[in-house]
């Protein structure tokens, strides 16, 4: 049985999923180490931070689903694009409007890059 070649969009989705899962695991299990690495203070309510880590892992898992079964799961790509651009808005607002640390600007830029990559690959794969 011959396996179908993976698309560039599938690669962007799995890499984006791994990116989210990586951060999610750090946030869930060793948030103090991550906070030191990315130069952020730990919040007082650590449980909420760890819950966000769990959510990131779940989101990353949804991205990875597209790797295994792109047929019928194109909605996952649309959700990923919306999620990434929502992240841009959130992180940029945190940095520019509320004075959060420079790390928030970098995280917003990273989400923007993922969003643009997913969007461009999605649009290039649409059958006309």
């Amino acid at each position: 049985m011959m396996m179908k070649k993976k698309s560039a969009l599938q690669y962007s989705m799995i890499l984006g999923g791994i990116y989210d899962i990586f951060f999610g695991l750090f946030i869930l299990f060793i948030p103090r180490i991550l906070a030191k690495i990315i130069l952020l203070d730990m919040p007082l309510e650590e449980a909420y931070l760890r819950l966000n880590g769990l959510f990131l892992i779940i989101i990353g898992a949804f991205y990875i689903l597209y790797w295994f079964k792109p047929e019928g799961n194109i909605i996952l790509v649309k959700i990923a694009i919306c999620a990434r651009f929502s992240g841009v808005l959130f992180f940029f607002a945190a940095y520019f409007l509320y004075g959060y640390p420079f790390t928030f600007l970098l995280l917003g830029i990273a989400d923007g890059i993922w969003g643009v990559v997913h969007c461009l690959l999605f649009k290039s794969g649409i059958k006309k």
Side-chain angles (χ1 to χ4, degrees):
M1 182 167 103
M2 197 160 110
M3 290 183 56
K4 188 176 177 187
K5 185 179 180 220
K6 301 292 186 189
S7 69
L9 181 56
Q10 283 174 280
Y11 279 100
S12 79
M13 289 290 287
I14 197 167
L15 292 173
I18 291 168
Y19 170 86
D20 283 347
I21 289 171
F22 176 79
F23 270 102
L25 288 170
F26 264 85
I27 293 168
L28 181 60
F29 295 111
I30 48 176
R32 291 185 188 285
I33 293 172
L34 180 62
K36 286 180 184 175
I37 292 170
I38 64 174
L39 307 174
L40 291 176
D41 295 330
M42 282 293 294
L44 295 176
E45 292 293 335
E46 198 172 306
Y48 296 119
L49 176 64
R50 289 177 187 265
L51 181 61
N52 285 331
L54 178 61
F55 288 147
L56 263 179
I57 293 167
I58 293 167
I59 289 169
F62 278 105
Y63 285 29
I64 291 172
L65 285 176
Y66 187 76
W67 170 265
F68 294 104
K69 190 171 186 288
E71 310 83 23
N73 282 324
I74 200 67
I75 190 69
L76 296 174
V77 178
K78 294 176 181 180
I79 291 169
I81 292 167
C82 291
R84 292 297 182 188
F85 288 125
S86 296
V88 172
L89 293 175
F90 173 82
F91 287 120
F92 279 20
Y95 178 73
F96 288 110
L97 300 178
Y98 301 108
Y100 278 76
F102 182 70
T103 301
F104 280 70
L105 178 61
L106 296 177
L107 291 170
I109 291 169
D111 265 358
I113 291 169
W114 282 116
V116 168
V117 168
H118 296 325
C119 194
L120 291 175
L121 292 173
F122 173 71
K123 291 202 177 276
S124 72
I126 295 174
K127 306 280 189 259
K128 299 207 166 104

